Short mmCIF file of all heavy atoms in Angstrom, two decimals:
data_model
loop_
_atom_site.label_atom_id
_atom_site.label_comp_id
_atom_site.label_asym_id
_atom_site.label_seq_id
_atom_site.Cartn_x
_atom_site.Cartn_y
_atom_site.Cartn_z
N LEU B 13 103.59 214.96 166.00
CA LEU B 13 103.20 216.27 166.59
C LEU B 13 104.52 216.92 167.14
O LEU B 13 104.75 218.10 167.02
CB LEU B 13 102.22 216.04 167.71
CG LEU B 13 101.48 217.23 168.14
CD1 LEU B 13 100.46 217.78 167.08
CD2 LEU B 13 100.60 216.93 169.44
N ILE B 14 105.30 216.09 167.80
CA ILE B 14 106.48 216.49 168.44
C ILE B 14 107.45 217.00 167.37
O ILE B 14 108.05 218.00 167.38
CB ILE B 14 107.17 215.36 169.24
CG1 ILE B 14 106.34 214.89 170.39
CG2 ILE B 14 108.56 215.78 169.65
CD1 ILE B 14 106.24 216.03 171.53
N LEU B 17 106.39 220.31 166.07
CA LEU B 17 106.68 221.39 167.07
C LEU B 17 108.20 221.79 166.98
O LEU B 17 108.54 222.87 166.98
CB LEU B 17 106.23 220.95 168.47
CG LEU B 17 104.82 220.90 168.78
CD1 LEU B 17 104.60 220.37 170.28
CD2 LEU B 17 104.12 222.28 168.59
N ARG B 18 108.98 220.63 166.82
CA ARG B 18 110.34 220.78 166.86
C ARG B 18 110.80 221.67 165.72
O ARG B 18 111.42 222.62 165.77
CB ARG B 18 111.03 219.43 166.80
CG ARG B 18 112.39 219.42 167.55
CD ARG B 18 112.92 218.00 167.35
NE ARG B 18 113.47 217.91 165.93
CZ ARG B 18 113.72 216.77 165.33
NH1 ARG B 18 113.45 215.60 165.92
NH2 ARG B 18 114.18 216.76 164.10
N LEU B 21 109.37 225.37 165.92
CA LEU B 21 110.15 226.26 166.89
C LEU B 21 111.55 226.51 166.28
O LEU B 21 112.07 227.59 166.35
CB LEU B 21 110.24 225.51 168.24
CG LEU B 21 110.90 226.37 169.37
CD1 LEU B 21 109.74 227.48 169.77
CD2 LEU B 21 111.10 225.51 170.51
N PHE B 25 113.18 230.21 165.51
CA PHE B 25 114.31 230.74 166.06
C PHE B 25 115.45 231.02 165.03
O PHE B 25 116.13 231.98 165.24
CB PHE B 25 114.87 229.71 167.18
CG PHE B 25 114.28 230.16 168.47
CD1 PHE B 25 112.95 229.99 168.76
CD2 PHE B 25 115.13 230.93 169.33
CE1 PHE B 25 112.48 230.56 169.97
CE2 PHE B 25 114.60 231.43 170.58
CZ PHE B 25 113.24 231.19 170.89
N ALA B 82 116.22 222.65 173.16
CA ALA B 82 115.07 223.03 173.60
C ALA B 82 115.17 223.63 174.93
O ALA B 82 114.59 224.64 175.35
CB ALA B 82 114.18 221.81 173.71
N GLY B 83 116.16 223.16 175.79
CA GLY B 83 116.33 223.65 177.18
C GLY B 83 116.89 225.15 177.13
O GLY B 83 116.39 226.07 177.79
N THR B 85 116.38 227.19 174.61
CA THR B 85 115.22 228.04 174.04
C THR B 85 114.34 228.34 175.05
O THR B 85 113.89 229.39 175.22
CB THR B 85 114.59 227.16 172.90
OG1 THR B 85 115.56 226.59 172.10
CG2 THR B 85 113.64 228.13 172.12
N ALA B 86 113.99 227.29 175.88
CA ALA B 86 112.98 227.64 177.06
C ALA B 86 113.69 228.63 178.02
O ALA B 86 112.92 229.62 178.35
CB ALA B 86 112.79 226.39 177.77
N ALA B 87 114.84 228.50 178.38
CA ALA B 87 115.57 229.40 179.28
C ALA B 87 115.58 230.86 178.68
O ALA B 87 115.21 231.88 179.28
CB ALA B 87 116.98 229.03 179.60
N MET B 88 115.78 231.00 177.36
CA MET B 88 115.83 232.23 176.67
C MET B 88 114.42 232.91 176.75
O MET B 88 114.41 234.05 177.03
CB MET B 88 116.30 232.04 175.18
CG MET B 88 117.84 232.16 175.11
SD MET B 88 118.38 232.59 173.45
CE MET B 88 117.88 231.11 172.57
N ASN B 89 113.46 232.08 176.41
CA ASN B 89 112.08 232.63 176.38
C ASN B 89 111.60 233.02 177.89
O ASN B 89 110.99 234.09 177.91
CB ASN B 89 111.12 231.60 175.85
CG ASN B 89 111.07 231.68 174.28
OD1 ASN B 89 110.75 232.71 173.80
ND2 ASN B 89 111.48 230.65 173.60
N LEU B 90 112.07 232.32 178.77
CA LEU B 90 111.70 232.63 180.16
C LEU B 90 112.29 234.10 180.40
O LEU B 90 111.70 235.03 181.05
CB LEU B 90 112.20 231.59 181.13
CG LEU B 90 111.69 231.75 182.49
CD1 LEU B 90 110.20 231.57 182.61
CD2 LEU B 90 112.34 230.77 183.44
N ILE B 93 110.66 236.85 178.62
CA ILE B 93 109.24 237.18 179.28
C ILE B 93 109.42 237.99 180.49
O ILE B 93 108.74 239.08 180.62
CB ILE B 93 108.49 235.85 179.58
CG1 ILE B 93 107.97 235.05 178.48
CG2 ILE B 93 107.31 236.22 180.57
CD1 ILE B 93 107.61 233.70 178.66
N ILE B 124 105.01 239.01 174.94
CA ILE B 124 104.90 238.02 176.08
C ILE B 124 104.10 236.92 175.76
O ILE B 124 104.43 235.70 175.93
CB ILE B 124 104.44 238.79 177.33
CG1 ILE B 124 105.48 239.71 177.80
CG2 ILE B 124 104.04 237.74 178.41
CD1 ILE B 124 105.17 240.46 179.16
N MET B 125 102.84 237.16 175.16
CA MET B 125 102.01 236.08 174.78
C MET B 125 102.71 235.07 173.84
O MET B 125 102.62 233.89 173.99
CB MET B 125 100.67 236.57 174.00
CG MET B 125 99.85 237.38 174.85
SD MET B 125 99.26 236.59 176.32
CE MET B 125 98.48 237.90 177.19
N ARG B 126 103.34 235.58 172.85
CA ARG B 126 104.11 234.79 171.86
C ARG B 126 105.20 233.98 172.63
O ARG B 126 105.33 232.78 172.35
CB ARG B 126 104.70 235.80 170.94
CG ARG B 126 104.90 235.10 169.37
CD ARG B 126 105.16 236.31 168.45
NE ARG B 126 106.20 237.27 168.90
CZ ARG B 126 106.44 238.29 168.29
NH1 ARG B 126 105.80 238.70 167.15
NH2 ARG B 126 107.47 239.18 168.67
N ASP B 127 105.92 234.64 173.40
CA ASP B 127 107.02 233.91 174.13
C ASP B 127 106.50 232.86 175.12
O ASP B 127 107.13 231.91 175.25
CB ASP B 127 107.89 234.98 174.83
CG ASP B 127 108.90 235.71 173.88
OD1 ASP B 127 108.89 235.34 172.76
OD2 ASP B 127 109.49 236.68 174.36
N ILE B 128 105.33 233.10 175.59
CA ILE B 128 104.82 232.04 176.38
C ILE B 128 104.44 230.70 175.61
O ILE B 128 104.75 229.63 176.02
CB ILE B 128 103.51 232.52 177.19
CG1 ILE B 128 103.78 233.50 178.26
CG2 ILE B 128 102.63 231.39 177.80
CD1 ILE B 128 102.63 234.28 178.97
N VAL B 129 103.93 231.00 174.35
CA VAL B 129 103.68 229.80 173.43
C VAL B 129 105.01 229.18 173.13
O VAL B 129 105.09 227.89 173.29
CB VAL B 129 102.91 230.32 172.21
CG1 VAL B 129 102.85 229.16 171.18
CG2 VAL B 129 101.60 230.96 172.58
N PHE B 130 106.05 229.92 172.76
CA PHE B 130 107.36 229.32 172.48
C PHE B 130 107.97 228.63 173.68
O PHE B 130 108.52 227.53 173.56
CB PHE B 130 108.39 230.46 172.10
CG PHE B 130 107.98 231.11 170.74
CD1 PHE B 130 108.36 232.43 170.52
CD2 PHE B 130 107.15 230.52 169.82
CE1 PHE B 130 108.05 233.09 169.35
CE2 PHE B 130 106.83 231.09 168.67
CZ PHE B 130 107.29 232.42 168.42
N LEU B 131 107.74 229.25 174.95
CA LEU B 131 108.32 228.55 176.13
C LEU B 131 107.58 227.19 176.25
O LEU B 131 108.28 226.24 176.61
CB LEU B 131 108.00 229.50 177.35
CG LEU B 131 108.46 228.96 178.65
CD1 LEU B 131 109.94 228.71 178.88
CD2 LEU B 131 107.93 229.98 179.84
N PHE B 132 106.29 227.11 176.18
CA PHE B 132 105.47 225.96 176.34
C PHE B 132 105.89 224.92 175.34
O PHE B 132 106.29 223.80 175.76
CB PHE B 132 104.04 226.31 176.14
CG PHE B 132 103.14 225.10 176.19
CD1 PHE B 132 102.86 224.47 177.45
CD2 PHE B 132 102.62 224.37 175.12
CE1 PHE B 132 102.03 223.38 177.53
CE2 PHE B 132 101.87 223.30 175.21
CZ PHE B 132 101.49 222.83 176.47
N VAL B 133 106.11 225.28 174.09
CA VAL B 133 106.58 224.34 173.07
C VAL B 133 107.97 223.77 173.49
O VAL B 133 108.24 222.51 173.36
CB VAL B 133 106.60 225.01 171.65
CG1 VAL B 133 107.26 224.01 170.67
CG2 VAL B 133 105.21 225.31 171.12
N ALA B 134 108.89 224.69 173.76
CA ALA B 134 110.27 224.29 174.16
C ALA B 134 110.21 223.37 175.34
O ALA B 134 110.95 222.42 175.42
CB ALA B 134 111.10 225.56 174.46
N LEU B 135 109.37 223.66 176.29
CA LEU B 135 109.38 222.70 177.46
C LEU B 135 108.80 221.24 177.13
O LEU B 135 109.22 220.31 177.77
CB LEU B 135 108.46 223.38 178.59
CG LEU B 135 109.13 224.60 179.36
CD1 LEU B 135 108.17 225.10 180.30
CD2 LEU B 135 110.34 224.08 180.00
N VAL B 136 107.82 221.37 176.24
CA VAL B 136 107.31 220.12 175.82
C VAL B 136 108.44 219.28 175.12
O VAL B 136 108.51 218.14 175.38
CB VAL B 136 106.10 220.31 174.73
CG1 VAL B 136 105.71 219.02 174.07
CG2 VAL B 136 104.84 220.79 175.42
N LEU B 137 109.11 220.02 174.27
CA LEU B 137 110.19 219.20 173.58
C LEU B 137 111.25 218.74 174.53
O LEU B 137 111.75 217.64 174.47
CB LEU B 137 110.84 220.17 172.55
CG LEU B 137 109.97 220.52 171.40
CD1 LEU B 137 110.74 221.60 170.50
CD2 LEU B 137 109.69 219.35 170.55
N PHE B 138 111.56 219.50 175.56
CA PHE B 138 112.59 219.22 176.54
C PHE B 138 112.11 217.94 177.29
O PHE B 138 112.90 217.03 177.46
CB PHE B 138 112.74 220.39 177.59
CG PHE B 138 113.85 220.23 178.43
CD1 PHE B 138 115.13 220.40 178.08
CD2 PHE B 138 113.57 219.98 179.75
CE1 PHE B 138 116.31 220.20 178.91
CE2 PHE B 138 114.74 219.71 180.68
CZ PHE B 138 115.94 219.91 180.26
N THR B 139 110.93 217.92 177.81
CA THR B 139 110.48 216.75 178.59
C THR B 139 110.20 215.42 177.83
O THR B 139 110.50 214.44 178.11
CB THR B 139 109.11 217.07 179.33
OG1 THR B 139 108.23 217.62 178.42
CG2 THR B 139 109.47 218.05 180.43
N GLU B 140 109.64 215.67 176.47
CA GLU B 140 109.39 214.65 175.60
C GLU B 140 110.59 213.84 175.26
O GLU B 140 110.53 212.68 175.30
CB GLU B 140 108.64 215.00 174.47
CG GLU B 140 107.11 215.42 174.67
CD GLU B 140 106.37 214.18 175.36
OE1 GLU B 140 106.67 213.04 174.77
OE2 GLU B 140 105.73 214.32 176.19
#
Side-chain angles (χ1 to χ4, degrees):
Chain B
L13 197 68
I14 295 289
L17 289 179
R18 213 185 73 200
L21 190 68
F25 267 75
T85 313
M88 276 202 291
N89 274 300
L90 190 65
I93 290 167
I124 287 180
M125 296 298 171
R126 208 166 47 189
D127 283 353
I128 288 175
V129 174
F130 295 155
L131 173 63
F132 178 75
V133 173
L135 287 176
V136 167
L137 293 174
F138 187 77
T139 49
E140 283 304 317

